[in-house]
């Protein structure tokens, strides 16, 4: 049962503590408290972006269903770092299931990105570690890595996408290990 269910076309701003965990990490933070924001267990549908994060750090997005948005399911942009995206369903969004752009950095694990209008995931001028995700049935590429992005991809499956399973272009660099690409419309890796 989701903690919060959001439907409709209006924006909802939640100003309460969503799941803010404060922890003391003396070894790394020299005794300072560190705050992490965790967004977990939500069903988010029919907005502009499901979740949009800019100029932020130490945010975890996990175990959510984020579907049917006018642009992206999740948009991470403008120098956002330390973002962890894990075990989410990102489906039926008009553009990308997940967009990471603008010199941002994310760890993306165990998500399903399916039937999005353009790409399952787009990494644009950013960095990411991408492990164990499913990119399926997207109307362009399963995942696109563009504009000088740097990525490590391990154990991902890209299947049934209209174009490439994994697209790496525009001076981008990617290390691919044990990924699977099958039944895509163009290239397995392009």
């Amino acid at each position: 049962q989701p903690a919060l269910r959001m439907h409709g076309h209006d924006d909802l701003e939640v100003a309460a503590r969503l799941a803010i965990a404060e922890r003391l990490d003396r070894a790394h933070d020299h005794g300072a408290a560190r705050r992490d924001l965790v967004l977990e267990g939500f069903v988010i549908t029919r907005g502009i972006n499901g979740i949009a994060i800019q100029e932020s750090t130490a945010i975890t997005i996990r175990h959510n269903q984020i579907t049917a948005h006018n642009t992206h399911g999740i948009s991470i942009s403008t120098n956002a770092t330390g973002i962890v995206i894990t075990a989410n369903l990102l489906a039926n969004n008009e553009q990308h299931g997940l967009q990471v752009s603008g010199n941002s950095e994310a760890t993306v694990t165990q998500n399903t990105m399916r039937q999005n209008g353009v790409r399952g995931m787009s990494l644009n001028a950013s960095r990411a570690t991408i492990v164990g995700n499913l990119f399926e049935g997207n109307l362009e590429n399963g995942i696109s890595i563009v504009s000088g992005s740097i990525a490590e991809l391990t154990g991902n499956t890209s299947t049934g996408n209209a174009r490439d399973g994994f697209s790496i272009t525009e001076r981008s660099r990617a290390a691919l290990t044990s990924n699977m690409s099958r039944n895509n419309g163009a290239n397995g890796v392009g």
Side-chain angles (χ1 to χ4, degrees):
Q1 189 74 287
L4 175 64
R5 190 176 293 268
M6 297 187 294
H7 294 282
H9 300 292
D10 296 325
D11 291 335
L12 172 65
E13 182 175 333
V14 178
R17 284 186 239 158
L18 287 176
I20 299 176
E22 185 173 307
R23 68 177 190 235
L24 199 56
D25 188 347
R26 294 187 192 282
H28 295 97
D29 295 334
H30 306 290
R34 177 178 167 182
R35 293 188 183 273
D36 294 324
L37 176 63
V38 178
L39 301 172
E40 182 173 27
F42 293 100
V43 174
I44 305 171
T45 62
R46 295 189 301 266
I48 295 171
N49 289 306
I51 296 173
I53 296 173
Q54 298 179 359
E55 297 180 331
S56 298
T57 190
I59 296 174
T60 299
I61 302 167
R62 65 182 177 215
H63 302 289
N64 300 289
Q65 295 177 30
I66 303 169
T67 62
H69 294 282
N70 292 341
T71 51
H72 312 306
I74 299 174
S75 174
I76 307 298
S77 63
T78 318
N79 300 312
T81 61
I83 309 301
V84 176
I85 301 165
T86 189
N88 298 285
L89 171 63
L90 306 170
N92 301 308
N93 298 291
E94 288 190 23
Q95 291 186 22
H96 312 317
L98 171 61
Q99 165 90 11
V100 180
S101 64
N103 195 37
S104 295
E105 175 268 321
T107 300
V108 181
T109 61
Q110 302 298 318
N111 298 282
T112 298
M113 298 175 229
R114 73 164 47 115
Q115 297 173 334
N116 293 289
V118 184
R119 299 175 183 119
M121 178 178 173
S122 176
L123 183 65
N124 188 331
S126 293
R127 300 160 310 284
T129 301
I130 303 161
V131 179
N133 299 283
L134 172 63
F135 307 99
E136 180 180 46
N138 297 290
L139 295 183
E140 190 179 280
N141 299 320
I143 179 171
S144 291
I145 301 168
V146 300
S147 300
S149 293
I150 299 171
E152 293 181 20
L153 293 94
T154 305
N156 299 285
T157 299
S158 192
T159 183
N161 299 290
R163 293 184 60 197
D164 296 341
F166 300 90
S167 176
I168 305 160
T169 61
E170 301 170 11
R171 304 172 323 278
S172 296
R173 292 179 286 148
L176 286 82
T177 306
S178 301
N179 296 284
M180 182 184 307
S181 183
R182 64 175 184 241
N183 299 325
N184 295 293
N187 301 302
V189 177

